[in-house]
mmCIF file of all heavy atoms in Angstrom:
data_model
loop_
_atom_site.group_PDB
_atom_site.id
_atom_site.type_symbol
_atom_site.label_atom_id
_atom_site.label_comp_id
_atom_site.label_asym_id
_atom_site.label_seq_id
_atom_site.Cartn_x
_atom_site.Cartn_y
_atom_site.Cartn_z
ATOM 1 N N LYS A 67 15.282 14.524 -34.759
ATOM 2 C CA LYS A 67 16.220 15.477 -34.064
ATOM 3 C C LYS A 67 15.528 16.046 -32.892
ATOM 4 O O LYS A 67 14.393 16.426 -32.930
ATOM 5 C CB LYS A 67 16.567 16.572 -35.032
ATOM 6 C CG LYS A 67 17.894 16.375 -35.649
ATOM 7 C CD LYS A 67 18.622 17.739 -35.844
ATOM 8 C CE LYS A 67 20.134 17.480 -36.021
ATOM 9 N NZ LYS A 67 20.530 17.186 -37.446
ATOM 10 N N VAL A 68 16.286 16.201 -31.775
ATOM 11 C CA VAL A 68 15.720 16.762 -30.521
ATOM 12 C C VAL A 68 15.835 18.314 -30.662
ATOM 13 O O VAL A 68 16.897 18.794 -30.967
ATOM 14 C CB VAL A 68 16.540 16.279 -29.295
ATOM 15 C CG1 VAL A 68 16.068 17.056 -28.056
ATOM 16 C CG2 VAL A 68 16.461 14.784 -29.188
ATOM 17 N N LYS A 69 14.683 19.006 -30.392
ATOM 18 C CA LYS A 69 14.686 20.425 -30.352
ATOM 19 C C LYS A 69 14.175 20.915 -29.021
ATOM 20 O O LYS A 69 13.211 20.342 -28.460
ATOM 21 C CB LYS A 69 13.727 20.993 -31.469
ATOM 22 C CG LYS A 69 14.266 20.742 -32.844
ATOM 23 C CD LYS A 69 14.966 21.991 -33.376
ATOM 24 C CE LYS A 69 15.858 21.821 -34.562
ATOM 25 N NZ LYS A 69 15.347 21.263 -35.726
ATOM 26 N N ALA A 70 14.757 21.951 -28.450
ATOM 27 C CA ALA A 70 14.232 22.533 -27.249
ATOM 28 C C ALA A 70 13.002 23.276 -27.555
ATOM 29 O O ALA A 70 12.991 24.071 -28.567
ATOM 30 C CB ALA A 70 15.299 23.343 -26.560
ATOM 31 N N ASP A 71 11.963 23.219 -26.810
ATOM 32 C CA ASP A 71 10.755 23.993 -27.037
ATOM 33 C C ASP A 71 10.069 24.181 -25.707
ATOM 34 O O ASP A 71 9.596 23.181 -25.147
ATOM 35 C CB ASP A 71 9.837 23.371 -28.083
ATOM 36 C CG ASP A 71 8.697 24.342 -28.431
ATOM 37 O OD1 ASP A 71 8.185 25.096 -27.523
ATOM 38 O OD2 ASP A 71 8.246 24.307 -29.591
ATOM 39 N N GLU A 72 10.000 25.387 -25.242
ATOM 40 C CA GLU A 72 9.382 25.662 -23.849
ATOM 41 C C GLU A 72 7.986 25.173 -23.720
ATOM 42 O O GLU A 72 7.530 24.823 -22.646
ATOM 43 C CB GLU A 72 9.428 27.108 -23.556
ATOM 44 C CG GLU A 72 10.776 27.608 -23.095
ATOM 45 C CD GLU A 72 10.843 29.147 -22.937
ATOM 46 O OE1 GLU A 72 9.721 29.749 -22.963
ATOM 47 O OE2 GLU A 72 11.946 29.659 -22.744
ATOM 48 N N ARG A 73 7.260 25.198 -24.895
ATOM 49 C CA ARG A 73 5.817 24.894 -24.836
ATOM 50 C C ARG A 73 5.562 23.387 -24.705
ATOM 51 O O ARG A 73 4.562 22.882 -24.331
ATOM 52 C CB ARG A 73 5.047 25.407 -26.049
ATOM 53 C CG ARG A 73 5.001 26.910 -26.098
ATOM 54 C CD ARG A 73 4.699 27.358 -27.500
ATOM 55 N NE ARG A 73 5.667 26.861 -28.444
ATOM 56 C CZ ARG A 73 5.639 27.039 -29.818
ATOM 57 N NH1 ARG A 73 4.543 27.570 -30.288
ATOM 58 N NH2 ARG A 73 6.653 26.578 -30.500
ATOM 59 N N ALA A 74 6.565 22.572 -25.095
ATOM 60 C CA ALA A 74 6.379 21.150 -25.096
ATOM 61 C C ALA A 74 6.553 20.517 -23.707
ATOM 62 O O ALA A 74 7.322 21.056 -22.829
ATOM 63 C CB ALA A 74 7.539 20.450 -25.918
ATOM 64 N N PRO A 75 5.761 19.509 -23.371
ATOM 65 C CA PRO A 75 5.913 18.843 -22.028
ATOM 66 C C PRO A 75 7.305 18.393 -21.875
ATOM 67 O O PRO A 75 7.925 17.685 -22.767
ATOM 68 C CB PRO A 75 4.860 17.710 -22.049
ATOM 69 C CG PRO A 75 4.370 17.574 -23.412
ATOM 70 C CD PRO A 75 4.776 18.786 -24.194
ATOM 71 N N GLY A 76 8.004 18.696 -20.796
ATOM 72 C CA GLY A 76 9.349 18.242 -20.618
ATOM 73 C C GLY A 76 10.444 19.167 -21.217
ATOM 74 O O GLY A 76 11.639 18.991 -20.967
ATOM 75 N N GLY A 77 9.949 20.138 -22.022
ATOM 76 C CA GLY A 77 10.866 21.186 -22.574
ATOM 77 C C GLY A 77 11.555 20.766 -23.881
ATOM 78 O O GLY A 77 12.337 21.553 -24.464
ATOM 79 N N PHE A 78 11.292 19.576 -24.336
ATOM 80 C CA PHE A 78 11.956 19.167 -25.611
ATOM 81 C C PHE A 78 10.849 18.508 -26.529
ATOM 82 O O PHE A 78 9.816 18.072 -26.030
ATOM 83 C CB PHE A 78 12.991 18.057 -25.319
ATOM 84 C CG PHE A 78 14.224 18.514 -24.720
ATOM 85 C CD1 PHE A 78 14.404 18.197 -23.343
ATOM 86 C CD2 PHE A 78 15.157 19.197 -25.403
ATOM 87 C CE1 PHE A 78 15.631 18.721 -22.774
ATOM 88 C CE2 PHE A 78 16.283 19.756 -24.782
ATOM 89 C CZ PHE A 78 16.537 19.502 -23.456
ATOM 90 N N GLU A 79 11.192 18.597 -27.840
ATOM 91 C CA GLU A 79 10.260 17.793 -28.719
ATOM 92 C C GLU A 79 11.133 17.152 -29.741
ATOM 93 O O GLU A 79 12.341 17.507 -29.927
ATOM 94 C CB GLU A 79 9.155 18.607 -29.377
ATOM 95 C CG GLU A 79 9.678 19.829 -30.113
ATOM 96 C CD GLU A 79 8.551 20.778 -30.592
ATOM 97 O OE1 GLU A 79 7.439 20.704 -30.028
ATOM 98 O OE2 GLU A 79 8.785 21.590 -31.487
ATOM 99 N N ILE A 80 10.574 16.144 -30.487
ATOM 100 C CA ILE A 80 11.351 15.480 -31.500
ATOM 101 C C ILE A 80 10.837 15.796 -32.900
ATOM 102 O O ILE A 80 9.584 15.707 -33.068
ATOM 103 C CB ILE A 80 11.335 13.980 -31.369
ATOM 104 C CG1 ILE A 80 11.898 13.589 -30.013
ATOM 105 C CG2 ILE A 80 12.089 13.227 -32.449
ATOM 106 C CD1 ILE A 80 11.802 12.083 -29.627
ATOM 107 N N HIS A 81 11.625 16.294 -33.762
ATOM 108 C CA HIS A 81 11.201 16.480 -35.220
ATOM 109 C C HIS A 81 11.556 15.231 -35.944
ATOM 110 O O HIS A 81 12.721 14.960 -36.205
ATOM 111 C CB HIS A 81 11.815 17.725 -35.741
ATOM 112 C CG HIS A 81 11.341 19.019 -35.123
ATOM 113 N ND1 HIS A 81 10.828 20.069 -35.823
ATOM 114 C CD2 HIS A 81 11.272 19.376 -33.808
ATOM 115 C CE1 HIS A 81 10.484 20.987 -34.954
ATOM 116 N NE2 HIS A 81 10.731 20.610 -33.779
#
Side-chain angles (χ1 to χ4, degrees):
K67 263 216 158 85
V68 175
K69 292 258 159 65
D71 188 326
E72 279 173 12
R73 292 161 302 174
F78 289 104
E79 56 188 20
I80 300 173
H81 290 233

